[in-house]
Amino acid sequence: MIRLAWPWLLVALPLPWLAWRLLPPAPAVSPPALFAPFVLAVFGDRPTTAARRRRWTRVLAALVWLLLVMAAARPQWLGEPVELPQTGRSLMLAVDASGSMEIPDLDLSGSEANRLAVVKEVAGEFIRRRVGDRIGLVIFGSQAYLQAPLTLDRTTVANLLAETEIGIAGKETAIGDAIGLAVKRLKEVPQGKAALVLLTDGANTAGLVPPKQAADLAAQAGIRIYTIGVGADRVVVRGFLGSRVVNPSADLDEETLEYLASATGGRFFRAKDKEGLAEVYRRIDELEPVATESLVVRPRTDLFVWPLAAALTLSALRAAAALWPRRPRREAHAPSAA
């Protein structure tokens, strides 16, 4: 449908008529000093033709004024209503890409897979579910890097996570630096709207910022930290002397991860397989629910350029007609009688 953004400007429509009715007429032009009756015959300016031309000039002027007022009233085309989810929370995901994430102690689609491959699939689905949230991504190893700033483009963040390779940020684990970088990006978010989901399979072995100090900074900024320890705790290894059971997650510092969560009002989760990791992210969905309210908007397209262009075109044609030289009209004379 079409609507006028500023309909009150239509009150300007009768202004030319009011000016014509209320203002005094322009002073009359003095008669010509020399009256030449043959001029009318030469130039063909008959009274009826002049009156007709004045009438069409008034009609054209009225049409141009109408188009100008319509353009000033700003006509718009309103499209179909569209529901947009309101922006909810700001979530930063910190994912460990150190060398230990290459341990193949998890199962993916019925086959053995390393830890990062499982995290990519499960965390990618978590990212796509967060409709209306701003999502960011930090990848850390020996250093922490901002892979994606906070954005509503969840598909791009999920793709960046899927392209992450083991060792891209170094072989060690800088948990404290990852938290510090995430806090730097989340500190401007309003209280209660920001959270960090940190996933690792080890302990802090690199970096400049101790994890507990980084957690204190997060708590001061009102940022909740949800920590996830990933990795199986029991794997059968076959060797020359037979099979033995080992714990591939022996290096996981659960105590520090629990402190990071409790100090900031978050939770610590332990994921030992793909199903357990998927359940962890579902629990985080419950603790940090997605915004359910939506905002209904109607796309608007301005149409004022069309009446404005029409008014300018008519004005240009009228000006061209006034400046164009007229050819003298030749009158046909009847033959005189002999």
Side-chain angles (χ1 to χ4, degrees):
M1 61 177 292
I2 296 178
R3 58 157 255 179
L4 298 178
W6 302 327
W8 51 270
L9 285 174
L10 296 180
V11 300
L13 281 175
L15 288 181
W17 181 82
L18 292 175
W20 177 69
R21 296 289 296 179
L22 301 178
L23 295 179
V29 180
S30 58
L34 178 64
F35 178 71
F38 62 87
V39 172
L40 293 179
V42 173
F43 293 98
D45 226 354
R46 298 179 179 179
T48 55
T49 303
R52 189 181 304 112
R53 185 177 297 114
R54 286 195 299 270
R55 183 168 62 251
W56 281 109
T57 299
R58 293 194 188 101
V59 172
L60 182 62
L63 180 58
V64 170
W65 178 252
L66 174 63
L67 291 171
L68 289 175
V69 173
M70 289 298 298
R74 196 179 171 187
Q76 296 176 332
W77 173 262
L78 297 183
E80 294 296 327
V82 177
E83 285 193 8
L84 297 178
Q86 292 186 353
T87 302
R89 290 169 169 75
S90 296
L91 298 180
M92 187 70 72
L93 273 63
V95 177
D96 188 348
S98 61
S100 59
M101 292 292 287
E102 197 171 8
I103 297 176
D105 60 346
L106 300 179
D107 180 84
L108 183 62
S109 301
S111 60
E112 193 177 71
N114 63 50
R115 295 169 177 175
L116 185 58
V118 175
V119 170
K120 287 180 181 181
E121 179 169 318
V122 178
E125 291 299 323
F126 170 78
I127 293 172
R128 295 184 182 94
R129 289 198 303 265
R130 304 298 302 188
V131 179
D133 286 350
R134 295 195 304 162
I135 306 292
L137 178 62
V138 171
I139 301 298
F140 66 95
S142 302
Q143 296 88 27
Y145 296 99
L146 181 67
Q147 193 76 344
L150 289 172
T151 177
L152 292 171
D153 188 355
R154 306 183 313 280
T155 301
T156 297
V157 178
N159 291 338
L160 290 173
L161 175 60
E163 296 170 0
T164 301
E165 299 294 336
I166 294 173
I168 190 175
K171 296 293 185 179
E172 297 181 290
T173 308
I175 296 176
D177 286 5
I179 297 174
L181 180 57
V183 169
K184 181 180 179 181
R185 293 290 174 168
L186 292 171
K187 64 181 181 180
E188 301 299 331
V189 178
Q191 291 279 343
K193 292 288 187 179
L196 166 64
V197 181
L198 185 141
L199 182 144
T200 184
D201 66 344
N204 188 75
T205 57
L208 302 175
V209 182
K212 293 184 178 181
Q213 180 180 345
D216 294 339
L217 294 175
Q220 294 174 10
I223 301 170
R224 296 176 297 281
I225 299 179
Y226 297 94
T227 54
I228 304 174
V230 66
D233 60 356
R234 186 178 183 276
V235 173
V236 178
V237 179
R238 294 177 177 83
F240 292 104
L241 301 177
S243 300
R244 59 191 179 93
V245 177
V246 298
N247 180 11
S249 300
D251 294 335
L252 181 62
D253 188 357
E254 295 189 16
E255 180 182 352
T256 298
L257 295 180
E258 289 179 350
Y259 175 84
L260 298 177
S262 62
T264 58
R267 292 280 300 276
F268 166 67
F269 302 96
R270 182 73 172 89
K272 301 178 182 180
D273 50 31
K274 177 186 175 182
E275 291 72 21
L277 184 60
E279 179 61 26
V280 166
Y281 281 113
R282 282 193 290 269
R283 292 287 306 278
I284 295 176
D285 279 334
E286 296 174 359
L287 295 171
E288 301 286 337
V290 176
T292 56
E293 296 182 358
S294 59
L295 181 65
V296 179
V297 299
R298 301 189 70 170
R300 300 176 183 176
T301 304
D302 283 317
L303 304 176
F304 70 90
V305 292
W306 299 105
L308 181 60
L312 294 177
T313 301
L314 292 177
S315 300
L317 292 176
R318 178 65 184 90
L323 296 175
W324 193 266
R326 300 194 194 100
R327 292 182 177 180
R329 297 182 60 180
R330 297 179 179 178
E331 297 289 340
H333 299 281
S336 56

